[in-house]
Amino acid sequence: MRITRRNALGGVLALAARPAWSQADFPNRPIRIIVPSAPGGSLDVLSRLISRHLGERLGWQVPVENRSGGAGNIAFDAVAKSRPDGYTILIGSDPLTLNPSLFTNLPFDPVRDFQPLTMIATLSQVLVVHPSVPAENFAEFVELARSRRMDINIGSAGTASPGHLATAMMNTAGVPMTHVPYRGGGPAVQDTVAGNIQGGIMTLPAALPFIRERQVRALAITSSERSPFAPEVPTMSEVLPSVVVDSWQAFFLPAGVPPAILARLNTEIVAVINLPSVQDFLRNQAFVAVGGPPEPLGAFVRADVAKWREVVRQTGLRLD
């Protein structure tokens, strides 16, 4: 559905002020954003925030489609096989670069089959537990798990999510617990709040509202450094030096999108990320905004694929 412009003359003047490539026939229909998780998680929240403003800038609606399941591979494969015309955007995160090390015979390659668009933000994963869990800090949680006084089930945003990998790394470090995959960070934190599982590892943005309401207790951050949004919460590496998982979220296109369309989308999305209202929202939700051109994201993806290959080799984690 076409977004109605309030002032036709203003629209003409704005169009004339833009670079020549924006006067081509793109876009001439809605652009969809594919989210590889269920509604409620940080990927979903970011997609819906940006889609609204992007639609206003492009003059077309930008619907969000949630395609959860398959450790994200269902959505990744769908986008990789989409026409490279700029009308399908993937919001990706750690599983995109991690999954090739966990699964064999994937039908897509994160470097070959995707065109980096822009890094949206970096963020922290956080371990939260239900208030009934008898551990006030991460060191006590590690001792509790090692004592085996109770079964500890830890939820995550899904198989091959950063939370799953952090759980596997803790297991390797001698901290026994059972991983419980969900279809997104939202359902995982909700089950933790309900006491259906003892805890969960999900993005800080997904968990922060529940932490602030004291519905869950935050014990540790997976990142290499403490989060500026929760500086009182220690990193896991302060107790378990080998457990470090830094997280990110970014936009990708299918490989082969024409340069002019790539440039248009990059310019418009980065402009959205830099809007004061969006910057305020990201800060309030514990995202560190990034933005920027496609090239640094491409270099980052290549390095991340290599990093996870080595981590998976060390943990022995395989999902086939």
Side-chain angles (χ1 to χ4, degrees):
M1 182 183 297
R2 188 79 177 180
I3 293 178
T4 302
R5 298 185 183 276
R6 294 182 178 181
N7 187 310
L9 178 59
V12 172
L13 293 176
L15 184 63
R18 293 181 178 179
W21 46 254
S22 71
Q23 299 179 27
D25 194 33
F26 177 86
N28 58 24
R29 64 180 189 272
I31 297 170
R32 59 180 181 162
I33 297 177
I34 304 298
V35 182
S37 63
S42 60
L43 286 173
D44 182 68
V45 170
L46 266 186
S47 296
R48 295 181 189 280
L49 169 69
I50 293 176
S51 70
R52 182 174 69 254
H53 293 286
L54 182 61
E56 292 171 355
R57 293 184 64 87
L58 294 176
W60 289 90
Q61 287 188 345
V62 181
V64 172
E65 297 181 16
N66 296 87
R67 294 197 185 184
S68 60
N73 292 330
I74 293 173
F76 300 154
D77 186 42
V79 173
K81 292 176 178 175
S82 297
R83 290 185 61 185
D85 54 11
Y87 289 95
T88 301
I89 299 174
L90 169 72
I91 184 167
S93 59
D94 314 58
L96 181 63
T97 54
L98 170 61
N99 286 6
S101 296
L102 296 176
F103 299 88
T104 57
N105 302 316
L106 284 180
F108 63 87
D109 180 274
V111 175
R112 179 194 65 219
D113 296 327
F114 294 92
Q115 167 60 57
L117 183 48
T118 190
M119 181 73 81
I120 306 168
T122 59
L123 62 158
S124 298
Q125 302 283 329
V126 61
L127 167 65
V128 298
V129 295
H130 187 267
S132 64
V133 173
E136 295 297 323
N137 55 58
F138 187 56
E140 291 182 2
F141 176 83
V142 169
E143 191 279 328
L144 175 67
R146 287 174 172 169
S147 73
R148 299 184 183 272
R149 295 198 303 270
M150 64 183 296
D151 294 330
I152 297 180
N153 296 300
I154 297 297
S156 79
T159 300
S161 68
H164 182 192
L165 188 64
T167 302
M169 295 170 77
M170 282 194 285
N171 287 339
T172 300
V175 184
M177 60 188 70
T178 300
H179 172 245
V180 182
Y182 287 79
R183 289 177 176 266
V189 72
Q190 288 164 9
D191 250 15
T192 302
V193 170
N196 296 327
I197 53 177
Q198 285 67 50
I201 301 176
M202 66 285 297
T203 62
L204 183 58
L208 197 58
F210 303 95
I211 295 171
R212 289 170 174 166
E213 294 297 322
R214 300 184 183 277
Q215 294 177 288
V216 295
R217 184 184 305 125
L219 296 186
I221 296 291
T222 68
S223 305
S224 53
E225 298 179 354
R226 293 194 182 199
S227 169
F229 303 105
E232 73 284 358
V233 181
T235 66
M236 288 186 177
S237 61
E238 292 176 40
V239 176
L240 302 172
S242 63
V243 182
V244 177
V245 179
D246 290 306
S247 291
W248 54 273
Q249 298 184 348
F251 280 135
F252 298 85
L253 299 167
V257 171
I261 293 177
L262 171 65
R264 174 79 188 277
L265 288 172
N266 175 266
T267 297
E268 299 293 358
I269 291 174
V270 171
V272 169
I273 293 172
N274 287 328
L275 289 172
S277 62
V278 173
Q279 291 276 316
D280 288 343
F281 177 89
L282 292 174
R283 281 192 295 270
N284 289 336
Q285 297 298 315
F287 289 101
V288 178
V290 182
E295 292 79 12
L297 175 58
F300 173 85
V301 166
R302 292 189 292 272
D304 219 40
V305 169
K307 178 190 74 175
W308 288 130
R309 187 183 301 119
E310 179 59 21
V311 170
V312 169
R313 184 191 68 79
Q314 293 173 355
T315 61
L317 180 65
R318 298 292 299 185
L319 299 180
D320 292 311

